Amino acid sequence: MKPKDQFFHPESPSFEKICIFEAPSGCQMKKVPALLIISLCFVLLQTGQAQEIKSDEDSSFLSKKTVFGSRITTPPKIDGILDDPVWDVLPAATHFVQHTPYNGEPPVYETFVQFGYNDVALYVGIFMYDSHPDSIPRELGRRDQIDDLNTDFVSIDILPYNDGLNMYEFKISACGIQGDGKYSAVGQDRNWDAVWESAVHISDSGWSAEVKIPYSALRFPKREEQVWGINIWRNLQRYREYSTWTYIPNDVEEILRYYGELRGIEEIKPPVRLSMTPYLGAYIENHPGSKKWTPFIRGGMDLRYGINQSFTLDMELIPDFGQVQSDDIILNLSPFEVRYNEKRQFFTEGTELFEKCDIFYSRRVGGEPKGYEWVEESLRPDEVITKNPDRTQLINATKISGRNSRGLGLGFFNGMTTNTLATVEDTLTGTTRRISTQPVTNYNVLVVDQNLPNNSYVTFINTNYWIPEWRYCANVTGGETKLTNKRNTLTFLGRLNVSQLFLEHYHPDFGYQSTIAFSRPSGTIRYELENQITDNRYNPNDMGFLEKNNEIRNFGVLSYNIYDPTWKFLRARTEFQIKYYTRYQPFNFMFMDVELNQQALFKNYLEVYGEIAWRPFGYYDYYEPRVNGWFYRRPPSWDGGIELETDSRKWFSVGLESGFFAYSEDHTFSYWVDISPRFRFSDRFSAYISINYSNVINGYGWVETQWDSLNNPTIFFGRRDVTTLNNILNIRYIFNTGMSVNLRIRHYWSKANYLSYYTLNRDGNLIPAAYPENANVNFNAFSLDLQFLWYFAPGSELSLVWKNNILNQGNIPAPNYIDALQETFSSPSANSISIRVLYHLDYIYLKSWFRKKKDSMI
């Protein structure tokens, strides 16, 4: 008899007997100590909160379950079929319970999980009953795309240190797609990829999965017996049901504290974790305005070495990011820098430690040279720019990260870029000269993080940016702690960052940012209060990202949450927010916002979100004038929006967003509409379209600042209509779990048509004025990314990519979208065609292969 036959079938009358309740002990709520005067508000909210605790907390659901793994001598064949003899004798974890939609209820179908291990890996066998296996959705996709697909899946969550904070996730879909990620106190890292094996099989009773997780994919303490935190999640897609082996209340955020334990794994040793991934890439590129195609070859290597059982060294030698997806460039009329997402894998994988205190923005490494804008300003008469690289060349990047058995986490990052040079030419003599826009630069990040009880932590982090030739150093130091009580009803977050800028012959510049926040992270009624102070000298932007300083932010939110199905809702949230902003120096009022929003998921899986906000005293905007001490007074305003998203399980689904922003006094009005249909033509073929249209009518904004001989500014503003249309088409075809092709096309058009001009007065008001130039803008950005990807071996891939990019900007707005599109395609484009091969080499595998080769020769 197979193990799966030993359990109750979901349709059996005896199935309801699986769940038996027992009252746990030790459920007394601890008294929350008073912290500052503001804590009085919390005490009032805490009163009566005991009645919000689910009655299920008196059940055995909250008792942590334990499952035992057994040592095996003959590992199973990873084919997805649980017919190996080993599965007949291993104990199993069962009695799953729903997480959503009916938290605490038995699931529609039962699941069982078994664990075996040897000196090399952990083996997991999972069987998921389903009386209608032909109805199991199995949409294909790429690795790590499981959450976006219409498919059943199962997830194995492992916490090797059983600390409630750091977790590895291994996810398998019903068609065999893999997904993995890491979770920590700062969130999730979906870009983390491990090398592991899995297979699935559909049978008459449901579907099964077999998984082999090598110890080289995990970091765990060196102990005689391992005690790992564990939980298994099953997604039954057609019922939108999530069930878990260990019960997790649906009204909490810190879910890892409820995980069960995997015991019985004894006398295993952390393996030698050494792997190399050499790559070779061939490129042919054509730059705008050039008729020649330039071929070249790039090669390099990624190295990963386990220093010990806790810490890992990752090194990238001669990195190549030529195949990274193009940025979605926009027309930026605001006074703030646009923050683009990091897409380079080395900087997105395993960097969760470096995200503490929010002072490291990885795109600064290998980003725009510090002196990029200086080149044009330094031109001599008759000189033109012939070359000005907008990216510094990264020579190498190294990071060390990990956590030991005592919960101490360490992280170290170092990167170095080479000297970046611009070239200018004298048009009369033909001579050229070079201008250094950024000499050799070193980037360092150091993090020390200690886990504390109750999913709490304390962190120290330092970033250091150093240009030796310029004698310039930017140093930012941060400290952060998060403290949560045992009942998970009160959380305190405290943070202090200090920036230090040093330049030879100049006095050092120091600044700071502090954050204090209290919140209730669980329960029907939740709240959060936060105060953040950023002084006028705080500047982390050499390695971090900060839009603006010299600001004090106060934020409060109170929400009422419905977690269990009620009437026509599966869940809902009503939230009330207040924001109050002032300047740091001088201490001047900026604005106050009052906002009410509502989110609801209906039983037909229509998701709705709506919000309305009021700014009753207007906005004293100290940033739009772009001159220190000046401000522009915007009148009181209203804004609101609504979002709708239909059931993604259907072959056609759509998202719709719309909103507005209105100033009644100056007749400024803006609105936007976003429609995003998704078509799933088959389990292999899908298309996604996003159409975003926005229009600003009678908007006011900065145009230019002119300075007189006494250094007094004249700040020009303009009244303008700004129209923007952003279209994205994404087409995907999946051949199998390892081979796919993806096409992404984006066209962005934005135009600003100025109607009248003004100068800004010191009282924040505008005075009509004549402006001698044409400030109109017509901006087009086009990008095409076509990628063929083939995972031909574990951790190894071949990719063929074509990238086409067009940027066009002028001062004659196109009358309509068709003309804008024609103008775009008549502009010079940049093209890149590349093929790259990465091959993963693992020390353990190579050692085993050479041993077998040697034995065969004897």
Side-chain angles (χ1 to χ4, degrees), residues 101-167:
Y102 297 97
N103 189 235
E105 297 294 326
V108 175
Y109 299 114
E110 182 58 292
T111 304
F112 82 86
V113 188
Q114 297 169 283
F115 299 91
Y117 72 95
N118 57 18
D119 291 332
V120 177
L122 176 71
Y123 298 87
V124 186
I126 311 170
F127 192 87
M128 289 145 283
Y129 279 106
D130 195 316
S131 58
H132 302 284
D134 55 333
S135 299
I136 297 174
R138 298 190 288 272
E139 183 182 4
L140 283 160
R142 289 185 172 182
R143 183 188 176 109
D144 292 330
Q145 291 182 338
I146 294 177
D147 290 329
D148 300 325
L149 303 176
N150 183 47
T151 182
D152 282 16
F153 64 82
V154 64
S155 176
I156 306 164
D157 294 358
I158 301 175
L159 291 83
Y161 291 96
N162 200 22
D163 55 7
L165 281 175
N166 299 278
M167 182 263 286

Side-chain angles (χ1 to χ4, degrees), residues 848-858:
S848 175
W849 185 85
F850 280 116
R851 182 179 297 169
K852 291 180 180 178
K853 193 75 173 177
K854 181 179 179 180
D855 292 343
S856 64
M857 296 175 62
I858 297 177

Side-chain angles (χ1 to χ4, degrees), residues 530-715:
E530 179 180 311
N531 169 265
Q532 185 175 84
I533 300 174
T534 306
D535 82 348
N536 56 321
R537 294 185 178 275
Y538 180 65
N539 181 9
N541 280 342
D542 285 290
M543 286 188 67
F545 187 96
L546 180 71
E547 273 195 348
K548 50 189 181 292
N549 58 13
N550 197 17
E551 186 176 82
I552 299 177
R553 184 181 76 167
N554 296 282
F555 173 81
V557 59
L558 179 68
S559 67
Y560 180 79
N561 301 268
I562 299 175
Y563 301 102
D564 297 316
T566 303
W567 191 50
K568 296 183 180 294
F569 302 112
L570 286 175
R571 58 180 179 269
R573 184 190 74 228
T574 303
E575 188 173 86
F576 176 73
Q577 296 184 13
I578 295 181
K579 300 175 183 177
Y580 188 87
Y581 281 53
T582 65
R583 296 271 279 174
Y584 172 80
Q585 187 182 32
F587 186 72
N588 293 333
F589 171 79
M590 292 176 64
F591 70 88
M592 184 180 78
D593 271 355
V594 180
E595 179 181 320
L596 180 67
N597 62 64
Q598 176 70 53
Q599 182 175 0
L601 177 64
F602 291 86
K603 289 185 177 179
N604 63 353
Y605 292 98
L606 172 67
E607 191 163 359
V608 180
Y609 174 83
E611 68 177 20
I612 188 73
W614 179 37
R615 191 168 287 179
F617 307 114
Y619 177 27
Y620 292 81
D621 189 342
Y622 286 87
Y623 306 106
E624 186 64 23
R626 309 175 200 209
V627 177
N628 188 33
W630 290 68
F631 68 91
Y632 168 55
R633 187 185 182 280
R634 300 182 186 272
S637 62
W638 286 88
D639 67 273
I642 187 170
E643 300 176 18
L644 305 173
E645 187 168 343
T646 63
D647 190 351
S648 61
R649 296 173 299 176
K650 301 183 181 298
W651 78 272
F652 173 77
S653 60
V654 63
L656 176 66
E657 297 183 24
S658 183
F660 74 93
F661 207 109
Y663 297 94
S664 58
E665 293 181 12
D666 58 11
H667 307 290
T668 297
F669 183 77
S670 66
Y671 64 92
W672 64 92
V673 178
D674 187 305
I675 182 169
S676 304
R678 182 181 186 273
F679 304 87
R680 190 175 61 253
F681 302 109
S682 70
D683 284 343
R684 300 177 184 272
F685 183 33
S686 63
Y688 170 84
I689 302 172
S690 175
I691 303 171
N692 181 280
Y693 175 80
S694 66
N695 195 10
V696 180
I697 303 171
N698 287 326
Y700 291 82
W702 175 87
V703 175
E704 185 187 4
T705 300
Q706 297 179 356
W707 302 83
D708 63 17
S709 58
L710 298 177
N711 208 31
N712 295 316
T714 299
I715 304 173

Side-chain angles (χ1 to χ4, degrees), residues 352-612:
E352 63 276 5
L353 266 176
F354 303 102
E355 296 172 1
K356 295 292 185 76
C357 293
D358 196 24
I359 61 174
F360 180 46
Y361 177 45
S362 59
R363 285 189 61 127
R364 299 294 188 206
V365 184
E368 183 179 289
K370 201 171 187 66
Y372 177 77
E373 302 288 346
W374 304 345
V375 179
E376 188 170 353
E377 299 173 4
S378 63
L379 289 177
R380 300 167 183 168
D382 302 316
E383 282 187 334
V384 295
I385 301 172
T386 58
K387 181 182 180 183
N388 188 14
D390 61 355
R391 293 288 182 270
T392 54
Q393 178 60 49
L394 188 62
I395 302 173
N396 60 66
T398 304
K399 60 188 177 190
I400 299 174
S401 61
R403 190 175 300 274
N404 66 16
S405 59
R406 294 182 176 86
L408 178 64
L410 297 176
F412 172 76
F413 168 83
N414 175 263
M416 182 177 293
T417 56
T418 188
N419 190 20
T420 306
L421 300 170
T423 304
V424 299
E425 180 181 351
D426 190 305
T427 56
L428 297 180
T429 64
T431 58
T432 62
R433 65 185 179 97
R434 289 184 171 184
I435 301 173
S436 176
T437 56
Q438 184 168 314
V440 173
T441 305
N442 194 71
Y443 305 78
N444 279 311
V445 186
L446 174 65
V447 190
V448 180
D449 179 80
Q450 177 63 56
N451 290 347
L452 301 174
N454 305 322
N455 304 86
S456 304
Y457 64 85
V458 60
T459 298
F460 166 86
I461 182 171
N462 175 265
T463 66
N464 184 272
Y465 175 92
W466 171 232
I467 304 179
E469 185 175 323
W470 289 353
R471 300 291 193 272
Y472 177 74
C473 177
N475 193 77
V476 183
T477 303
E480 177 179 288
T481 185
K482 178 183 176 184
L483 305 173
T484 303
N485 66 353
K486 189 174 182 180
R487 294 286 296 175
N488 196 32
T489 56
L490 181 63
T491 294
F492 166 78
L493 175 68
R495 177 189 296 171
L496 177 62
N497 298 336
V498 177
S499 66
Q500 305 162 310
L501 304 182
F502 302 93
L503 181 62
E504 193 174 29
H505 307 307
Y506 288 87
H507 191 273
D509 199 9
F510 295 85
Y512 79 93
Q513 181 187 73
S514 66
T515 305
I516 296 177
F518 299 87
S519 65
R520 176 181 170 86
S522 62
T524 302
I525 297 178
R526 297 190 184 188
Y527 56 82
E528 180 180 356
L529 291 173
E530 179 180 311
N531 169 265
Q532 185 175 84
I533 300 174
T534 306
D535 82 348
N536 56 321
R537 294 185 178 275
Y538 180 65
N539 181 9
N541 280 342
D542 285 290
M543 286 188 67
F545 187 96
L546 180 71
E547 273 195 348
K548 50 189 181 292
N549 58 13
N550 197 17
E551 186 176 82
I552 299 177
R553 184 181 76 167
N554 296 282
F555 173 81
V557 59
L558 179 68
S559 67
Y560 180 79
N561 301 268
I562 299 175
Y563 301 102
D564 297 316
T566 303
W567 191 50
K568 296 183 180 294
F569 302 112
L570 286 175
R571 58 180 179 269
R573 184 190 74 228
T574 303
E575 188 173 86
F576 176 73
Q577 296 184 13
I578 295 181
K579 300 175 183 177
Y580 188 87
Y581 281 53
T582 65
R583 296 271 279 174
Y584 172 80
Q585 187 182 32
F587 186 72
N588 293 333
F589 171 79
M590 292 176 64
F591 70 88
M592 184 180 78
D593 271 355
V594 180
E595 179 181 320
L596 180 67
N597 62 64
Q598 176 70 53
Q599 182 175 0
L601 177 64
F602 291 86
K603 289 185 177 179
N604 63 353
Y605 292 98
L606 172 67
E607 191 163 359
V608 180
Y609 174 83
E611 68 177 20
I612 188 73

